[in-house]
Amino acid sequence: NAGVTQTPKFRVLKTGQSMTLLCAQDMNHEYMYWYRQDPGMGLRLIHYSVGEGTTAKGEVPDGYNVSRLKKQNFLLGLESAAPSQTSVYFCASSYPRTSGGPYNEQFFGPGTRLTVL
Amino acid sequence: EDQVTQSPEALRLQEGESSSLNCSYTVSGLRGLFWYRQDPGKGPEFLFTLYSAGEEKEKERLKATLTKKESFLHITAPKPEDSATYLCAVQVSENIRTYKYIFGTGTRLKVLA
């Protein structure tokens, strides 16, 4: 199993350009997440999805959009990139929480390093 | 405001020198506390989940404990390969459809041979 994969690994954009980051998982996980990691700020949740066709906002959603058309894929879009979006982006997935049950650990991808000039 | 604080920010140990990392939290309703290890240039890797005060979990040289205000990651007789950043995260849920997962900024551990 490949686990969680992310495409691309690196990308440099100019301000105002758009791009899509792709996340794929082969573990049949219901939940998927997008985070950004910045020095001194830790991982922050951008958007998440609790199932195919559903998405929800996390802590820092502004400037990003997401789609979950297939269970195994979760796309993160930047419509008009800004220098403040320079970061390392991580995708993660997990099994869902059963009713009354515990939350499950997340499996992370290797990350995408994005630089916006 | 929900908050997670990890200390120290960085720690250098000699091989075999045991120590503890701290994760203190102030949240409205803890549903779980998670420890992850992150190597440079890679994504976090899951280590432990703790759900209630008094719970402990062990894996090789690592032992995680949880109280009502904080969690400790104890490292016994560390080796150079234990060098990494250790992240703590807490999960808070207002209801079954909302989801809040807060990461600390991590402790960078360096174990010297």
Side-chain angles (χ1 to χ4, degrees), chain A residues 33 35 37 40-43 45 48 50 90 97 99 102-106 108-110, chain B residues 31 34 36 38 41-44 46 51 87 91 93 96-99 101 103-105:
Chain A
Y33 319 84
Y35 291 91
Q37 187 173 41
M41 300 197 72
L43 283 153
L45 184 64
Y48 65 98
V50 297
F90 287 100
R97 173 180 181 263
S99 179
Y103 287 88
N104 294 293
E105 70 274 18
Q106 297 182 15
F108 284 81
Chain B
R31 299 299 185 192
F34 300 78
Y36 292 85
Q38 185 174 23
K42 296 188 176 181
F46 171 74
Y51 295 107
L87 303 173
Q91 188 149 23
S93 177
I96 198 168
R97 295 306 295 174
T98 62
Y99 177 90
Y101 205 82
F103 275 88
T105 53

Side-chain angles (χ1 to χ4, degrees), chain B:
Chain B
E1 181 185 350
D2 296 328
Q3 203 165 12
V4 177
T5 304
Q6 290 189 247
S7 62
E9 286 188 16
L11 181 63
R12 292 167 68 93
L13 299 173
Q14 290 295 130
E15 185 172 3
E17 180 186 1
S18 301
S19 188
S20 297
L21 313 182
N22 177 263
C23 172
S24 63
Y25 59 90
T26 307
V27 298
S28 54
L30 180 72
R31 299 299 185 192
L33 187 142
F34 300 78
W35 281 99
Y36 292 85
R37 168 190 171 127
Q38 185 174 23
D39 292 300
K42 296 188 176 181
E45 179 183 346
F46 171 74
L47 292 172
F48 303 107
T49 309
L50 301 166
Y51 295 107
S52 57
E55 190 174 359
E56 298 182 353
K57 288 192 177 174
E58 286 188 68
K59 179 180 180 181
E60 295 180 357
R61 295 177 292 281
L62 300 177
K63 178 180 178 180
T65 62
L66 181 66
T67 72
K68 289 186 177 180
K69 294 183 178 180
E70 58 192 348
S71 176
F72 291 95
L73 185 65
H74 306 279
I75 304 178
T76 302
K79 298 182 178 181
E81 53 262 42
D82 294 323
S83 297
T85 296
Y86 290 86
L87 303 173
C88 150
V90 297
Q91 188 149 23
V92 181
S93 177
E94 287 81 23
N95 59 62
I96 198 168
R97 295 306 295 174
T98 62
Y99 177 90
K100 198 172 182 181
Y101 205 82
I102 307 168
F103 275 88
T105 53
T107 293
R108 295 189 312 277
L109 174 66
K110 178 75 172 176
V111 181
L112 305 172

